[in-house]
Amino acid sequence: MDFDPITRLLSNHRKPGNPAIPTTLTKQQLLSLLRSRLSPNQSPEGLTQKIQEALRELQAQGEVLAGSRNRYSMAPPTVLALARDNVNGLLFRGDRAYLALAHQALKTEQREDELRIRPKVHGFNRIRNRLQQVGIRLLTVADSIEQLPLPRPPSPAVLRSPWFVNPFTDGGMICHYVPQPDRSQKDRWLPASYQKLPDRTLLQLPTGDYLWFINRAFYELEPDVAVLAMFYQDREAGCPLKIQWDEPQGRLNLAGVILPGTYARWLWCLSEPDTQRYRTRSFQSTNYPLVKKAFQRLGCILV
């Protein structure tokens, strides 16, 4: 599915009284809005599945942020540069409402919907200042690697949304995350039993919502917090996730892997899509050390 209709919808719906911030939309709201925009000769059949797959992919790329209760919003606007001395090809990610402003601020003379930005303004500091004036961050790949969050369990500060009803009474398959050697990330989600739940367990409901079970209570988690908890549990169990990495060809296979949004945006900036392989990114050899360092932070093994 073309991602543009979804990113346009999420970017166009702004917070009342504060248009600088996009508001969230539920998956059902997105479905309703997209269905209303279909032309008479377009069939709505399979639209729900297509939207779910598109949202999953946009989330995997770090373009869209998934919140609680199946709510989605665009990630904050960010421009990424390969290095301070290499600003010829910048990549815009996140809230599209700021994309035209980025082109105007940098005097690109390009179409205002292009994500690859070629600035006519020179110098990293001048570019950064101009983007800051319109509310856009400029990061370099090398600088931003230290800002990538480390795997961690949910902190008490984020455990502020208790799930008051025992989810196991609602029916449906509930899974918990169980790190196991040589298993894919997807295969580490196993059916859970309430009677056998250990403390500090990460759960996923049939709706896609994540819960953290601790002290016999359930707490709702935002997806990025849950993903960092997954990698934390992998590390604690001594079962690092193995990521397929064809170093001679510079190909990274991320099929079936969910990364924290910050890592995804960072990796997508460094790479190009491999058109022949699903969810595979191609990297230049000069960026191999950065790729390895990022996955070391996550505790993964490149194989």
Side-chain angles (χ1 to χ4, degrees), residues 88-110:
N88 294 323
L90 305 174
L91 179 64
F92 183 95
R93 308 305 281 176
D95 191 351
R96 299 295 192 267
Y98 289 82
L99 180 55
L101 293 173
H103 282 287
Q104 293 167 16
L106 301 183
K107 302 179 179 179
T108 66
E109 299 179 7
Q110 298 172 246

Side-chain angles (χ1 to χ4, degrees), residues 144-152 224 228 260-263 297-298:
S144 61
I145 195 169
E146 299 302 331
Q147 299 181 25
L148 298 177
L150 293 168
R152 56 179 178 261
D224 254 17
L228 286 170
T262 48
Y263 282 82
R297 288 179 71 83
L298 275 179

Side-chain angles (χ1 to χ4, degrees), residues 230-287:
M230 286 164 51
F231 286 100
Y232 168 79
Q233 291 189 323
D234 289 342
R235 188 181 67 192
E236 292 297 292
C239 298
L241 192 66
K242 294 181 179 178
I243 307 290
Q244 294 182 32
W245 169 239
D246 180 357
E247 184 160 342
Q249 301 298 322
R251 294 194 189 107
L252 183 72
N253 184 350
L254 294 171
V257 178
I258 297 177
L259 297 172
T262 48
Y263 282 82
R265 286 190 291 276
W266 187 86
L267 287 166
W268 255 251
C269 174
L270 274 183
S271 60
E272 297 291 340
D274 186 322
T275 56
Q276 304 300 316
R277 298 168 179 82
Y278 172 68
R279 289 291 306 285
T280 297
R281 307 295 299 183
S282 295
F283 295 82
Q284 295 181 0
S285 58
T286 53
N287 293 323

Side-chain angles (χ1 to χ4, degrees), residues 24 52 55-56 58-60 62 64-73 149 152-154 158 163 177 185 189 202-205 207-212 219-231 258-263 298:
T24 62
Q52 181 58 55
L55 287 170
R56 191 179 299 118
L58 286 167
Q59 184 186 349
V64 163
L65 302 179
S68 58
R69 309 297 172 94
N70 282 313
R71 301 194 72 88
Y72 297 86
S73 69
R152 56 179 178 261
V158 304
W163 196 278
Y177 191 74
Q185 192 181 60
W189 286 101
L202 181 63
L203 300 167
Q204 187 172 39
L205 305 185
T207 58
D209 290 303
Y210 293 101
L211 300 179
W212 184 250
Y219 294 89
E220 188 176 2
L221 296 182
E222 292 191 353
D224 254 17
V225 176
V227 173
L228 286 170
M230 286 164 51
F231 286 100
I258 297 177
L259 297 172
T262 48
Y263 282 82
L298 275 179

Side-chain angles (χ1 to χ4, degrees), residues 115-133:
L115 297 175
R116 289 283 179 183
I117 296 175
R118 299 181 295 278
K120 293 293 178 66
V121 176
H122 301 292
F124 181 85
N125 289 333
R126 287 189 66 206
I127 291 172
R128 181 179 59 189
N129 291 338
R130 282 180 167 268
L131 290 174
Q132 282 179 343
Q133 289 171 9

Side-chain angles (χ1 to χ4, degrees), residues 166 194-200 213-219:
N166 184 338
Y194 177 62
Q195 290 75 19
K196 298 180 180 179
L197 278 185
D199 209 33
R200 298 162 65 88
F213 181 70
I214 187 170
N215 297 329
R216 308 308 300 175
F218 300 95
Y219 294 89

